[in-house]
C-alpha cells in the first residue's frame, strides 16, 4: 500500500514524512490508547504506603481521538483537575473535551449528548459507562453512555472534531459544558449561528474559539442556569422521529471564531467526507507515522507496548496555527507565518528523548517547533523559551541540527540560546548570576525541609545548566564562535562543583560554600537541592562527559558499588506524589534518573546496565491491576519515548549529540525509516543474552558504545551480538 498517495491531502499539512514504509501488517492495530490511563495504588507498585487522599500518578495519558501533534484532542472527561481528565478506574463521563496534554490543564470546550429522559440537570449530567462498551484506536474513540442510552463516537482532523451520537427514539440534545475545563474558565459564550450551526469561545490557558455544524436543524441554543451551575444547551428540531445519528462537526482556533469556521471548512466541510471516511484518514495518518518503525520478534505484549508508547510520543507538542497560517503570538497579537506554529514543548521532560525521536520520524514538525520557539524567544526578551525547570531547548536545537534537520535559522536560535547561557535577566535562567560567578547555585541553609516545599532545586539546576552549556557550545562550534565555544565548554564542567567525594553524591551547598548538613540521600524533594528527586536519583548526570563523571570516584569499583546500592537497596518508603515506581532506590516514575542505568557502561559493566533496562522495560510499563499503568507520569511522552527507543536498541543518552548509546533490543529485527533521508536502517539482534559482545555497523566493528546518527542515516545495518 502506498501511504503517500493515500494520505497526501491531509498529511501534507502535517509533515513531509509521507514515505513508503514496508509493512507486513497494519501497525495501528497494535496500539492500545488506554495504555497509560490507569493509576498505581499498591505499595509494591508505588514504593510507599499511601496516606494522602489524592490519587497517586499513573501515566496520566488520555484515550481519546487525536492526530499527531494536532490542535485537537477529543477525549472523554471522567474527572476534572486530575491528569488528563480520564482515569481508567472511574465510571462516569462528564463530556468530551477538545484539548488535552496530561498535565492537569486544558480540556477545552467539553460537550455531551443528553436526553430529557436521562433527567439531566445543569449540576448533574454525567453518564456512567462500562469499559465493556468502550473502545479506542488511533484517531477514534467510542463509548456507550448508559444514562442516556447513547452510543458516542469521535474522530478528528488536525483542527476539528467529528462527533457521531446514536440516540434512542427521543429528542436529541447537546450539552455544551462551557463553564468547565481544567483551567477554571471565567469568560465563555455559546450561541446559535444559523439554521444548523452554533459557535462560541472559552477561556483557560488561551482562549479557544469554536464553530460547529450539525446535521439537524437547531431550534435554540440556551444557557441553562440551575443550582449554581451554567451549561449551554443545543436543542434540535424534529429530531425524535429520525433514526439517523446526530453528527457534530466542530472546528477550533485560538485566533477567532472566523478562523475556527475556516478550519472546519478546509478540513471537514469542503470534502463532505463521512464520519467513517474521516476516521479512515486518521488511521492512515497514524499508520504512516508509526509505520516508520517495523519490528519483528518479541512477544505480543512487547509489540503492543512498543507501538502504544510510540503513539503516545507523538501526541504533544500541539499545533496552534490555523489553515490560513494565523496564530496568536507571545504578545497575544494575531500574526501570520509560513510555518506551523506549535505550543512550547515540555522541555524538562522531553528534551531527553522524545523531541529527538519526533525529529527522526517527522523532521518538518521538529523544525517548525524550533521556529515557533524562536518566534516566542524573540518576542519575550530575547531568551529561548524554557519549561518548568532548567533550560533545555539548547539540546533540542543542537541535536536536531546535527542530525540533519536544517530548515530553520540556526543563527537566530543560537542568539537566544547564548543569551540564556550568559546573560542573567527576567525570562532567562533562574539564579544564573551566581551560577556564572561561582560555577554552582547555592541552596538555603535550613533543616527538616518537607517534600513539597519549593526552593531553588540548586543541585539539579547546576548539573543541568552545565549540560545546556555543552549543548549551546555545540552550536557555537557549528557557527565558528570560538570564543563563546571555549567559555561554554568550560562551564560544561560545572557539574563537578557539587559532587561531594565524602558521600559519593551530588549535594547542595549553602552560600558560603559548605555542604548542607541536613543531608538525607533517600528523602525526596520537589525543589530542595533536587527537582522532583532525591540524591540517589540525581546520580551520574553528565551525558556530555560520562568518563569525567565516573572519574570523580576513586575507582570503577566504587562506581559499581554505588550503582548496585541504588538498584538493590530498598528505598526509604517516603510518600511523594510524583515519585513512584521504584527499583531499589531508583525511581523510574520520574525523569531525573532515567540516564543512570547506562552509567554501568562506562565502568565496563554493560551487562549490569542491561539487566536493569530489561527489568524496567518488562515490569515498569503495563503495571497495575489492568496492566495499563506506567511507573509514573508520561510527561508529554518522555516515559513512552524511553521505552520505545530502548525497545529498539538505541537511546539518546546525550540528546544534543548526533549519536545513540546501544542497548539490547527487545525485537529480533527493527527496520527504521528516517524522515530526514527516507532511507531505512536496520537493527538486528543475535543471541538472547544481556552482555553485548560485539556491535557492527555496516559490517564494521563499533568502537565504544555509541552509534553515530550519520551511520543510521546512510542506511547501515546495526548488528548487536549478545551472550
Amino acid at each position: 500500500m502506498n501511504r503517500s498517495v493515500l494520505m497526501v491531502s491531509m498529511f501534507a499539512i502535517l509533515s513531509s514524512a509521507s514515505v513508503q514504509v514496508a509493512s507486513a501488517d497494519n501497525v495501528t492495530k497494535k496500539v492500545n490508547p488506554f495504555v497509560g490511563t490507569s493509576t498505581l495504588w499498591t505499595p509494591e507498585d508505588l514504593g510507599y504506603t499511601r496516606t494522602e487522599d489524592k490519587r497517586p500518578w499513573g501515566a496520566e495519558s488520555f484515550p481519546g481521538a487525536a492526530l499527531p501533534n494536532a490542535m485537537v484532542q477529543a477525549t472523554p472527561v471522567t474527572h476534572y483537575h486530575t491528569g488528563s481528565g480520564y482515569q481508567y478506574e472511574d465510571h462516569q463521563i462528564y463530556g468530551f473535551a477538545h484539548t488535552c496534554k496530561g498535565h492537569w490543564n486544558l480540556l477545552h470546550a467539553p460537550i455531551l449528548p443528553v436526553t430529557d429522559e436521562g433527567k439531566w440537570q445543569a449540576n448533574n449530567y454525567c453518564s456512567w459507562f462500562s469499559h465493556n462498551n468502550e473502545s479506542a484506536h488511533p484517531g477514534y474513540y467510542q463509548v456507550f453512555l448508559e444514562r442516556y442510552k447513547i452510543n458516542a463516537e469521535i474522530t478528528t482532523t488536525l483542527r476539528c472534531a467529528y462527533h457521531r451520537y446514536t440516540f434512542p427514539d427521543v429528542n436529541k440534545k447537546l450539552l455544551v459544558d462551557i463553564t468547565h475545563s481544567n483551567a477554571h474558565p471565567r469568560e465563555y459564550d455559546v450561541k446559535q449561528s444559523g439554521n444548523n450551526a452554533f459557535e462560541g469561545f472559552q477561556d483557560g490557558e488561551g482562549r479557544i474559539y469554536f464553530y460547529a455544524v450539525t446535521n439537524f436543524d437547531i431550534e435554540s441554543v440556551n444557557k441553562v442556569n440551575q443550582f449554581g451551575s451554567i451549561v449551554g444547551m443545543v436543542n434540535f428540531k424534529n429530531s425524535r422521529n429520525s433514526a439517523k445519528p446526530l453528527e457534530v462537526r466542530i472546528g477550533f482556533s485560538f485566533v477567532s471564531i472566523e478562523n475556527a469556521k475556516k478550519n472546519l471548512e478546509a478540513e471537514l466541510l469542503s470534502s463532505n467526507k463521512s464520519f467513517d471516511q474521516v476516521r479512515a484518514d486518521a488511521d492512515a495518518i497514524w499508520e504512516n507515522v508509526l509505520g516508520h518503525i517495523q519490528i519483528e520478534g518479541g512477544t505480543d505484549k512487547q509489540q503492543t507496548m512498543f507501538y502504544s508508547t510510540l503513539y503516545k510520543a507523538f501526541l504533544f507538542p500541539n499545533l496552534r496555527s490555523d489553515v490560513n497560517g494565523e496564530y496568536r503570538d507571545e504578545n497575544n497579537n494575531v500574526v501570520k507565518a509560513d510555518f506551523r506554529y506549535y505550543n512550547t514543548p515540555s522541555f524538562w521532560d522531553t528534551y531527553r528523548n522524545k523531541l529527538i525521536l519526533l525529529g527522526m520520524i517527522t523532521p518538518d514538525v521538529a523544525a517548525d517547533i524550533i521556529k515557533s520557539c524562536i518566534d516566542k524567544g524573540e518576542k519575550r526578551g530575547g531568551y529561548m523559551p524554557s519549561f518548568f525547570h532548567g533550560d533545555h531547548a539548547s539540546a533540542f536545537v543542537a541535536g536536531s541540527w546535527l542530525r540533519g534537520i536544517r530548515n530553520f535559522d540556526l543563527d537566530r536560535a543560537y542568539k537566544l540560546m547564548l543569551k540564556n547561557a550568559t546573560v542573567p535577566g527576567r525570562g532567562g535562567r533562574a539564579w544564573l548570576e551566581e551560577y556564572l560567578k561561582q560555577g554552582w547555585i547555592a541552596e538555603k541553609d535550613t533543616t527538616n525541609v518537607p517534600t513539597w516545599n519549593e526552593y531553588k532545586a540548586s543541585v539539579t539546576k547546576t548539573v543541568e545548566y552545565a549540560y545546556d552549556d555543552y549543548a549551546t557550545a555545540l552550536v557555537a562550534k557549528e557557527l565558528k564562535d570560538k570564543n563563546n565555544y571555549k567559555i561554554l565548554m568550560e562551564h560544561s564542567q560545572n557539574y563537578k562543583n557539587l559532587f561531594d567525594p565524602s558521600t559519593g553524591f551530588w549535594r547542595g551547598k549553602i552560600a558560603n560554600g559548605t555542604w548542607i548538613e541536613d543531608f538525607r540521600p533517600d528523602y525526596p524533594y520537589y525543589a530542595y537541592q533536587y527537582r522532583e528527586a532525591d540524591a540517589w536519583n540525581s546520580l551520574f548526570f553528565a551525558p556530555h562527559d560520562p568518563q569525567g563523571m565516573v572519574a570523580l570516584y576513586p575507582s570503577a569499583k566504587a562506581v559499581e558499588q554505588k550503582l548496585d546500592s541504588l538498584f538493590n537497596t530498598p528505598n526509604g518508603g517516603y510518600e511523594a506524589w510524583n515519585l513512584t515506581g521504584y527499583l531499589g532506590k531508583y525511581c523510574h516514575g520520574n525523569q531525573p534518573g532515567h540516564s543512570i542505568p547506562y552509567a554501568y557502561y562506562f565502568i565496563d559493566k554493560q551487562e549490569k546496565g542491561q539487566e536493569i533496562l530489561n527489568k524496567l522495560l518488562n515490569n515498569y510499563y503495563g503495571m497495575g491491576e489492568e496492566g495499563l499503568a506506567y511507573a509514573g507520569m508520561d510527561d508529554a511522552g518522555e516515559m513512552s519515548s524511553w521505552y520505545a527507543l530502548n525497545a529498539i536498541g538505541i537511546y539518546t543518552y546525550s540528546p544534543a549529540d548526533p549519536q545513540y548509546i546501544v542497548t539490547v533490543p527487545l525485537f529480533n529485527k527493527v527496520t527504521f525509516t528516517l524522515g530526514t533521508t527516507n532511507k531505512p536502517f536496520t537493527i538486528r539482534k543475535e543471541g538472547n543474552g544481556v552482555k553485548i559482545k560485539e556491535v557492527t555497523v555496516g559490517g564494521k566493528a563499533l568502537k565504544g558504545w555509541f552509534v553515530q546518527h550519520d551511520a543510521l542515516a546512510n542506511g547501515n545495518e546495526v548488528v548487536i551480538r549478545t551472550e
Side-chain angles (χ1 to χ4, degrees):
M1 176 178 67
N2 189 322
R3 290 189 180 85
S4 297
V5 174
L6 180 64
M7 304 184 318
V8 66
S9 61
M10 177 65 74
F11 197 69
I13 60 175
L14 180 62
S15 84
S16 65
S18 298
V19 298
Q20 293 188 48
V21 182
S23 176
D25 196 5
N26 186 311
V27 298
T28 59
K29 292 179 179 178
K30 299 177 181 178
V31 174
N32 181 0
F34 292 104
V35 165
T37 63
S38 67
T39 303
L40 297 176
W41 297 104
T42 67
E44 293 77 19
D45 287 340
L46 291 169
Y48 59 83
T49 300
R50 293 180 64 238
T51 63
E52 296 180 348
D53 291 334
K54 58 187 177 184
R55 297 191 228 214
W57 285 4
E60 307 303 331
S61 189
F62 68 90
L67 293 187
N69 302 109
M71 180 182 292
V72 168
Q73 300 81 42
T75 187
V77 179
T78 65
H79 196 295
Y80 287 105
H81 314 298
T82 174
S84 69
Y86 181 96
Q87 300 281 349
Y88 193 81
E89 62 271 16
D90 289 341
H91 301 288
Q92 71 287 324
I93 287 176
Y94 289 88
F96 303 105
H98 293 93
T99 61
C100 193
K101 178 185 176 185
H103 277 69
W104 287 264
N105 53 3
L106 301 176
L107 300 184
H108 281 107
I111 65 176
L112 183 74
V114 299
T115 67
D116 288 338
E117 287 75 7
K119 299 181 179 179
W120 66 271
Q121 294 176 336
N123 68 335
N124 181 358
Y125 48 82
C126 66
S127 175
W128 49 95
F129 75 103
S130 168
H131 294 304
N132 293 329
N133 204 341
E134 180 189 35
S135 61
H137 185 84
Y140 174 78
Y141 175 82
Q142 172 274 328
V143 68
F144 186 76
L145 302 174
E146 296 178 0
R147 177 173 180 173
Y148 303 108
K149 307 296 187 291
I150 297 171
N151 189 56
E153 300 172 275
I154 318 171
T155 189
T156 58
T157 63
L158 284 174
R159 303 171 181 89
C160 306
Y162 196 152
H163 298 249
R164 182 167 68 183
Y165 301 128
T166 303
F167 283 72
D169 186 17
V170 296
N171 284 325
K172 301 170 176 61
K173 294 178 179 290
L174 187 67
L175 186 150
V176 183
D177 197 5
I178 198 65
T179 65
H180 280 102
S181 77
N182 265 355
H184 303 285
R186 294 184 178 181
E187 295 190 33
Y188 45 81
D189 192 23
V190 57
K191 61 185 179 182
Q192 189 169 348
S193 180
N195 289 336
N196 67 333
F198 64 91
E199 64 185 42
F201 70 88
Q202 185 190 60
D203 282 353
E205 296 185 70
R207 174 173 289 186
I208 198 168
Y209 300 87
F210 56 88
Y211 183 88
V213 171
T214 66
N215 64 333
F216 284 90
D217 284 347
I218 295 173
E219 183 176 275
S220 64
V221 177
N222 307 318
K223 293 188 184 74
V224 180
N225 190 337
Q226 291 178 320
F227 314 109
S229 297
I230 300 173
V231 297
M233 183 56 59
V234 183
N235 301 290
F236 298 96
K237 297 177 181 178
N238 304 317
S239 63
R240 173 184 287 275
N241 298 322
S242 176
K244 69 180 181 180
L246 169 63
E247 295 188 347
V248 184
R249 290 173 286 181
I250 181 167
F252 293 88
S253 167
F254 286 86
V255 171
S256 65
I257 289 176
E258 181 183 0
N259 275 20
K261 187 175 182 179
K262 289 178 180 178
N263 291 340
L264 180 63
E265 176 67 30
E267 295 185 6
L268 282 180
L269 299 184
S270 61
S271 65
N272 199 31
K273 288 184 178 180
S274 69
F275 180 95
D276 292 329
Q277 288 172 320
V278 175
R279 177 187 175 182
D281 287 346
D283 179 77
I285 290 168
W286 277 112
E287 179 70 20
N288 179 272
V289 171
L290 304 180
H292 273 258
I293 305 180
Q294 300 291 324
I295 54 177
E296 298 177 19
T299 65
D300 288 342
K301 179 181 178 181
Q302 288 170 333
Q303 289 198 3
T304 295
M305 188 58 67
F306 171 73
Y307 281 112
S308 299
T309 56
L310 187 62
Y311 163 78
K312 298 290 183 182
F314 280 84
L315 293 172
F316 186 84
N318 301 129
L319 184 66
R320 285 294 180 263
S321 55
D322 297 324
V323 291
N324 61 6
E326 291 182 347
Y327 60 92
R328 287 191 181 272
D329 67 7
E330 283 292 285
N331 300 316
N332 203 35
N333 295 321
V334 177
V335 297
K336 190 172 184 177
D338 58 358
F339 61 90
R340 293 153 300 183
Y341 188 76
Y342 291 88
N343 53 11
T344 301
S346 299
F347 279 122
W348 189 62
D349 309 308
T350 59
Y351 84 95
R352 307 164 198 270
N353 47 39
K354 176 258 183 67
L355 291 172
I356 299 302
L357 176 60
L358 186 150
M360 293 171 77
I361 292 178
T362 54
D364 278 8
V365 174
D368 281 350
I369 293 169
I370 294 173
K371 291 176 184 177
S372 302
C373 289
I374 293 171
D375 185 83
K376 293 181 178 76
E378 290 177 342
K379 295 174 180 177
R380 62 184 297 273
Y383 292 102
M384 183 65 83
S386 58
F387 172 84
F388 180 60
H389 179 87
D391 171 33
H392 303 303
S394 53
F396 178 37
V397 172
S400 298
W401 183 270
L402 295 174
R403 286 174 172 83
I405 299 175
R406 301 292 172 88
N407 50 329
F408 64 90
D409 192 324
L410 186 64
D411 289 278
R412 288 170 63 194
Y414 174 62
K415 183 178 180 181
L416 300 172
M417 294 159 56
L418 185 62
K419 187 172 181 180
N420 281 37
T422 60
V423 182
R426 185 177 180 182
R429 293 183 185 178
W431 296 288
L432 178 61
E433 189 170 0
E434 62 178 289
Y435 174 83
L436 293 175
K437 181 179 179 180
Q438 60 197 19
W440 51 276
I441 297 169
E443 196 59 273
K444 185 176 181 179
D445 185 12
T446 187
T447 58
N448 297 318
V449 175
T451 288
W452 54 86
N453 274 20
E454 290 285 327
Y455 288 90
K456 290 183 179 180
S458 59
V459 177
T460 303
K461 279 189 173 66
T462 297
V463 300
E464 290 184 356
Y465 286 176
Y467 183 66
D468 297 327
D469 289 336
Y470 170 78
T472 306
L474 294 180
V475 178
K477 185 176 182 180
E478 280 288 297
L479 297 176
K480 297 181 172 52
D481 183 357
K482 295 180 180 179
N483 184 55
N484 280 311
Y485 171 77
K486 180 181 178 182
I487 292 171
L488 290 164
M489 287 300 290
E490 290 173 354
H491 291 178
S492 76
Q493 295 298 298
N494 285 340
Y495 77 90
K496 298 176 180 178
N497 294 337
L498 292 183
F499 179 74
D500 175 14
S502 69
T503 63
F505 290 102
W506 275 259
R507 179 177 177 181
K509 291 179 179 179
I510 62 175
N512 67 7
T514 60
W515 299 114
I516 287 175
E517 291 187 18
D518 187 17
F519 181 61
R520 295 173 283 170
D522 60 353
Y523 189 85
Y525 298 103
Y526 289 163
Y528 184 64
Q529 300 182 78
Y530 314 102
R531 171 53 80 180
E532 297 187 1
D534 56 21
W536 283 102
N537 287 279
S538 303
L539 287 168
F540 303 113
F541 183 85
H544 55 301
D545 188 23
Q547 295 297 343
M549 174 184 68
V550 299
L552 295 173
Y553 290 82
S555 65
K557 188 65 177 176
V559 174
E560 182 180 6
Q561 290 173 345
K562 200 73 171 180
L563 288 166
D564 289 350
S565 296
L566 169 65
F567 292 110
N568 296 319
T569 306
N571 76 309
Y574 295 106
E575 184 171 13
W577 194 33
N578 53 0
L579 279 81
T580 57
Y582 282 85
L583 174 59
K585 292 180 180 295
Y586 168 79
C587 175
H588 195 64
N590 212 329
Q591 285 69 39
H594 278 184
S595 62
I596 295 177
Y598 312 100
Y600 276 117
Y601 279 64
F602 309 114
I603 56 169
D604 199 27
K605 294 291 180 180
Q606 169 273 324
E607 66 278 10
K608 280 193 168 185
Q610 190 63 50
E611 288 175 354
I612 299 301
L613 297 178
N614 287 351
K615 289 178 181 178
L616 298 173
L617 288 167
N618 292 318
N619 301 325
Y620 288 72
Y621 293 80
M623 299 174 71
E625 183 178 347
E626 301 88 2
L628 296 174
Y630 288 4
M633 188 175 178
D634 195 21
D635 277 317
E638 190 280 341
M639 286 277 291
S640 292
S641 299
W642 190 98
Y643 182 99
L645 286 165
N646 280 289
I648 64 172
I650 53 175
Y651 185 70
T652 50
Y653 180 77
S654 174
D657 286 297
Q659 61 184 19
Y660 310 89
I661 198 167
V662 176
T663 68
V664 179
L666 295 178
F667 310 108
N668 297 331
K669 185 179 179 181
V670 176
T671 303
F672 193 140
T673 301
L674 288 169
T676 47
T677 63
N678 293 337
K679 268 187 179 181
F681 68 88
T682 57
I683 301 172
R684 189 160 51 84
K685 178 178 68 172
E686 293 184 359
N688 294 309
V690 295
K691 184 176 177 61
I692 298 175
K693 64 179 180 180
E694 184 185 40
V695 179
T696 61
V697 181
K700 297 180 180 180
L702 180 69
K703 295 180 180 179
W705 298 112
F706 291 95
V707 58
Q708 299 300 310
H709 180 84
D710 283 349
L712 305 182
N714 289 330
N716 284 301
E717 180 180 57
V718 179
V719 180
I720 302 169
R721 297 184 174 91
T722 69
E723 59 182 12

